[in-house]
Amino acid sequence: MDNKDRRKFIKLGLYSSAGLLVGSFYAFSKREISPELKKYEDLLKFDWGFIVDTTRCIGCGACVRACKIENEVPDTYFRTWVERYEINNKEAVRVDSPNGAIESFKKNNYTDDIVKAFFVPKLCNHCYKSACTQVCPVGATFHSPDGVVLIDKEHCVGCGYCVQACPYACRYINHEKGTADKCTLCYHRISKGELPACVNACPRNARVFGNLKDPKSQIRKILHQRRYGLLKPDLGTNPKCYYIGLDLEVK
Amino acid sequence: MDPSHGFLFPNELHITWTVMIVLYPYITGMVAGAFIVSSFYHVFGMEKLKPIARFALVSSFAFLLFATVPLLNHLGRPERAINILLTPNFNSAMSGFGFIYMFYMIIVFLEIWFSYRVDLIERYEKSRGIVKFIYNIIILGNTNDNENTRKYDKKIIVFLGGLGIPVACVLHGYVGFLFGSIKANLWWSTPLMFIIFIFSAIVSGLAVLIFLYLFIHWRRKKVINQESIDLMSKWLWGFMIIAVTLELMEILSISYERTEKWAILSKLINHELKISYVYLQIGLFSIVPFLMLTVTSLFQSLNNNLRNSLIWLSSGLLLLQVLFMRWNVVIGGQLVSKSMRGFTDYFPGYFDKEGLLVSFLIIITPFILLRLFDKIFPFFGKKELVE
């Protein structure tokens, strides 16, 4: 092989690998999903639900950070947070959630022996019979057809009655906007087929999000296999956030 | 420093309903109470209350005009307040608020108009120029005043007063219901709440009328109508007994049942609200006026000056009692964490948007307005001057 042929070969190789590289950018890059609205009938095929596996959570706070960034949640308020429960050898219980566990947990509450400890992530339960939508005087908060409790921020008057009515303290008044605010299950993401930011960020798959109307969905499978609990079931709100390994101490 | 102690859900660090929401039921309480007192004369014809009936009606109106001010100051988006009338969600206990409030406002306004019609015509005829023109608009150009029109006016007043009593009870009982129906809040959630609110409203209405009546008459050195003051003070005594007993019965039953919530509510009463509830609301502002009113109601031999001083003092204390009751309900309920594991803390601040200075201004304005009303339409006749 003379020099010319070699040069030709290298050129061809370079061009073709460059072509492959550029082509693969196109092939693997995500297309912008067209922002066309889903029809009402299509939305009715979904009933979004949530599972929190308290046995898997390690309290790293990645979900809280992800939520804060994704949803521009104001300081000292939280759409999701993580609680830590520690029980010592005297059976005393300490619970904390420093700044919603956005920076995880730094040190133990007890200096003596801790016999049991676990983390419980919390978020809006998107209850079937939500107290917050019941009490909103202007109808600014509502159930979307696909089962998410949302707030119309163009309509909310900021009276705070929903904040009082939520038994789980999932709502707050966003003082910059003057309206109520809370977890939307990242509605802007899930309507594009993506996962909520907290689910995406969880390194332990402690958060599962899915369609409760789909019998083949992962969420339904887990609910069929595992034992779970609900928060404050006696209040009749019928939450849609299912807690696996829920301890009696968690309220 | 973290002001809270125990465990709070992170969103509970700051309370949502501030001292503004304390003032709202306080002011509407006086509205409803004063109106009911005026109706005792207008509807039930208790002649002993005649000297105070008009004053009661106009006081009710003056407070009513300012009742929504604290609410608007508290709303995150006050410019959207009209939404409550435009798109009411009738599943919500709060949605009827705008309608009831407006309905009540119309009733009170009409009742005042009818009860002042004769005076207005008199003033129209005496006045000149632009003032005459204004009076002409107010009386709607109708100068008819004779036996028949007076009879008709009275009929209307009786009708409006009669209609107003249940509406006043609804207006205020409803505020109690707003709190009592919140199942998420351990301190609020009780069906007794709206009954307690109605009785405390009557207490504050009676108390504010007695307080102002005696104050004005002393200042202007006028003769006090002892009969009506005695009657009102006895009612005040009775209604405060009912209001305080109901509230204590509520706590007694929670504590006796010893359900889960008593563990945290007992701490609320014994620590967080120890001063404002136990010492002030129940101790100083309930038991002390109760004892004083017991003396003035049972011992007829007491001289009038001493009796009136005691009545005046206890009505003032009871006004504070009701204010503290509103505070202990509205703020107290929010101090308890929904996790049932801790408490948050609250101080309104002195010069904040929803602070103490603004609260003071909101409370004081209806009284200033009353003074202005009195300048235009004197509540009490001039002939009663002490010689």
Side-chain angles (χ1 to χ4, degrees):
Chain A
M1 197 190 276
D2 62 9
N3 274 352
K4 262 188 185 172
D5 282 343
R6 191 182 293 156
R7 208 172 287 153
K8 240 185 190 172
F9 177 74
I10 291 170
K11 250 187 185 174
L12 191 74
L14 270 176
Y15 279 134
S16 53
S17 52
L20 268 175
L21 199 69
V22 174
S24 63
F25 268 123
Y26 278 104
F28 292 105
S29 70
K30 268 191 200 161
R31 292 244 179 88
E32 193 64 33
I33 293 172
S34 58
E36 66 182 276
L37 290 170
K38 283 200 178 98
K39 281 186 188 150
Y40 180 76
E41 293 76 28
D42 292 337
L43 289 175
L44 287 179
K45 289 176 195 151
F46 300 95
D47 180 16
W48 298 117
F50 210 93
I51 286 178
V52 172
D53 190 342
T54 60
T55 62
R56 296 191 65 85
C57 179
I58 53 169
C60 66
C63 49
V64 186
R65 291 189 290 278
C67 175
K68 207 93 179 173
I69 295 165
E70 181 72 31
N71 298 299
E72 293 171 354
V73 181
D75 286 348
T76 76
Y77 292 105
F78 301 87
R79 290 184 178 200
T80 185
W81 66 94
V82 183
E83 292 164 10
R84 173 174 65 174
Y85 291 73
E86 289 167 302
I87 294 138
N88 70 359
N89 51 9
K90 291 166 193 135
E91 301 302 322
V93 185
R94 282 270 179 90
V95 189
D96 65 344
S97 180
N99 202 11
I102 196 159
E103 289 167 355
S104 187
F105 297 87
K106 301 293 183 204
K107 54 181 186 230
N108 290 346
N109 275 324
Y110 290 118
T111 46
D112 42 7
D113 282 348
I114 293 171
V115 291
K116 183 161 88 171
F118 51 89
F119 299 100
V120 181
K122 293 262 183 90
L123 70 159
C124 171
N125 289 271
H126 296 274
C127 312
Y128 281 116
K129 293 181 184 165
S130 54
C132 53
T133 54
Q134 184 193 4
V135 302
C136 177
V138 297
T141 183
F142 58 97
H143 290 260
S144 73
D146 43 351
V148 183
V149 177
L150 296 174
I151 301 165
D152 181 350
K153 288 184 186 147
E154 303 295 310
H155 199 66
C156 171
V157 295
C159 68
Y161 203 24
C162 57
V163 180
Q164 305 291 1
C166 173
Y168 311 103
C170 294
R171 285 177 170 248
Y172 55 88
I173 294 288
N174 184 332
H175 290 285
E176 281 166 33
K177 292 177 183 154
T179 59
D181 209 350
K182 71 179 227 359
C183 160
T184 61
L185 286 178
C186 285
Y187 202 72
H188 58 290
R189 290 172 61 94
I190 62 174
S191 45
K192 286 192 288 190
E194 293 173 11
L195 288 171
C198 58
V199 179
N200 213 23
C202 181
R204 289 275 296 154
N205 291 337
R207 290 167 177 255
V208 180
F209 165 81
N211 181 7
L212 293 168
K213 276 189 183 163
D214 177 7
K216 286 177 192 153
S217 64
Q218 192 197 4
I219 190 166
R220 284 278 293 269
K221 276 182 195 155
I222 296 173
L223 289 178
H224 288 161
Q225 286 163 1
R226 307 288 301 273
R227 296 174 191 188
Y228 57 84
L230 298 171
L231 295 176
K232 303 189 182 184
D234 49 316
L235 293 183
T237 50
N238 289 13
K240 229 171 16 167
C241 185
Y242 304 92
Y243 282 83
I244 287 169
L246 190 66
D247 194 272
L248 187 66
E249 297 293 345
V250 183
K251 304 239 166 55
Chain B
M1 200 183 78
D2 189 357
S4 58
H5 54 276
F7 172 66
L8 298 168
F9 289 130
N11 288 333
E12 291 179 320
L13 195 58
H14 313 286
I15 69 163
T16 309
W17 282 353
T18 62
V19 67
M20 290 297 126
I21 309 298
V22 174
L23 292 185
Y24 171 68
Y26 187 53
I27 297 176
T28 42
M30 293 197 272
V31 170
F35 184 85
I36 290 170
V37 174
S38 87
S39 291
F40 280 136
Y41 166 70
H42 285 132
V43 182
F44 303 116
M46 291 187 180
E47 286 295 324
K48 280 183 185 173
L49 288 181
K50 193 180 177 187
I52 214 154
R54 257 190 183 181
F55 173 55
L57 192 59
V58 180
S59 305
S60 181
F61 186 65
F63 291 121
L64 191 62
L65 284 177
F66 285 89
T68 52
V69 175
L71 294 185
L72 288 172
N73 185 36
H74 177 261
L75 278 191
R77 301 299 292 255
E79 77 279 10
R80 294 181 190 163
I82 194 73
N83 285 359
I84 202 166
L85 295 173
L86 299 180
T87 61
N89 164 28
F90 287 117
N91 287 326
S92 163
M94 200 185 264
S95 63
F97 162 77
F99 299 102
I100 295 173
Y101 186 86
M102 277 189 7
F103 187 52
Y104 186 66
M105 181 81 99
I106 292 167
I107 291 175
V108 176
F109 184 78
L110 285 179
E111 195 175 334
I112 289 178
W113 191 80
F114 277 105
S115 63
Y116 271 96
R117 212 178 74 88
V118 175
D119 300 51
L120 287 168
I121 291 170
E122 205 176 294
R123 274 155 184 272
Y124 164 76
E125 274 158 5
K126 279 184 191 162
S127 57
R128 281 171 187 203
I130 194 141
V131 183
K132 196 177 180 88
F133 178 70
I134 292 169
Y135 275 121
N136 197 17
I137 292 175
I138 297 175
I139 60 172
L140 300 173
N142 183 350
T143 52
N144 283 336
D145 178 27
N146 53 44
E147 283 268 302
N148 271 342
T149 58
R150 284 185 189 203
K151 240 184 214 168
Y152 182 77
D153 287 352
K154 191 147 191 242
K155 240 186 206 170
I156 296 268
I157 290 169
V158 171
F159 172 74
L160 288 171
L163 186 66
I165 294 175
V167 180
C169 285
V170 168
L171 178 76
H172 200 68
Y174 175 73
V175 181
F177 183 75
L178 284 186
F179 291 100
S181 62
I182 293 293
K183 61 187 169 192
N185 193 307
L186 304 170
W187 186 234
W188 293 347
S189 172
T190 158
L192 260 190
M193 192 60 93
F194 78 100
I195 302 171
I196 295 173
F197 264 63
I198 289 175
F199 279 102
S200 63
I202 298 174
V203 169
S204 65
L206 281 164
V208 75
L209 293 177
I210 295 174
F211 187 83
L212 287 179
Y213 180 90
L214 287 175
F215 179 75
I216 292 168
H217 281 68
W218 278 333
R219 246 191 92 86
R220 296 182 186 167
K221 298 199 168 104
K222 282 183 173 180
V223 176
I224 291 162
N225 187 319
Q226 199 60 40
E227 262 194 332
S228 65
I229 281 297
D230 280 350
L231 183 66
M232 296 234 306
S233 70
K234 272 182 192 157
W235 276 351
L236 183 61
W237 184 50
F239 278 116
M240 71 88 53
I241 291 173
I242 299 174
V244 174
T245 312
L246 279 175
E247 223 180 316
L248 292 179
M249 294 275 276
E250 168 66 26
I251 290 179
L252 179 72
S253 79
I254 301 173
S255 79
Y256 191 79
E257 283 178 359
R258 307 217 167 195
T259 54
E260 197 185 5
K261 68 178 178 181
W262 178 242
I264 188 92
L265 291 186
S266 63
K267 279 186 203 155
L268 177 75
I269 294 166
N270 289 319
H271 298 281
E272 318 305 311
L273 299 183
K274 189 161 198 168
I275 293 173
S276 67
Y277 185 72
V278 181
Y279 293 159
L280 293 177
Q281 188 194 324
I282 300 297
L284 183 60
F285 299 142
S286 296
I287 294 175
V288 173
F290 165 72
L291 293 174
M292 289 200 287
L293 287 173
T294 308
V295 170
T296 61
S297 303
L298 297 183
F299 297 96
Q300 301 297 333
S301 55
L302 223 60
N303 92 21
N304 279 350
N305 260 344
L306 179 62
R307 181 205 299 277
N308 288 344
S309 308
L310 285 178
I311 291 173
W312 185 70
L313 206 60
S314 42
S315 66
L317 288 175
L318 283 171
L319 272 178
L320 289 172
Q321 190 255 19
V322 177
L323 180 62
F324 271 81
M325 179 261 181
R326 309 295 191 229
W327 171 280
N328 290 326
V329 170
V330 177
I331 303 299
Q334 295 177 86
L335 295 182
V336 188
S337 168
K338 287 167 181 171
S339 68
M340 299 168 88
R341 288 181 183 278
F343 301 94
T344 188
D345 214 350
Y346 172 67
F347 180 73
Y350 296 103
F351 304 109
D352 300 28
K353 177 177 159 254
E354 299 180 37
L356 291 177
L357 179 69
V358 176
S359 309
F360 178 74
L361 290 177
I362 289 175
I363 276 287
I364 214 76
T365 348
F367 289 96
I368 295 170
L369 190 71
L370 257 183
R371 182 74 193 84
L372 285 176
F373 280 159
D374 187 42
K375 271 242 151 87
I376 307 169
F377 309 111
F379 303 129
F380 310 111
K382 279 179 184 156
K383 50 198 161 190
E384 298 161 20
L385 281 172
V386 180
E387 283 166 13

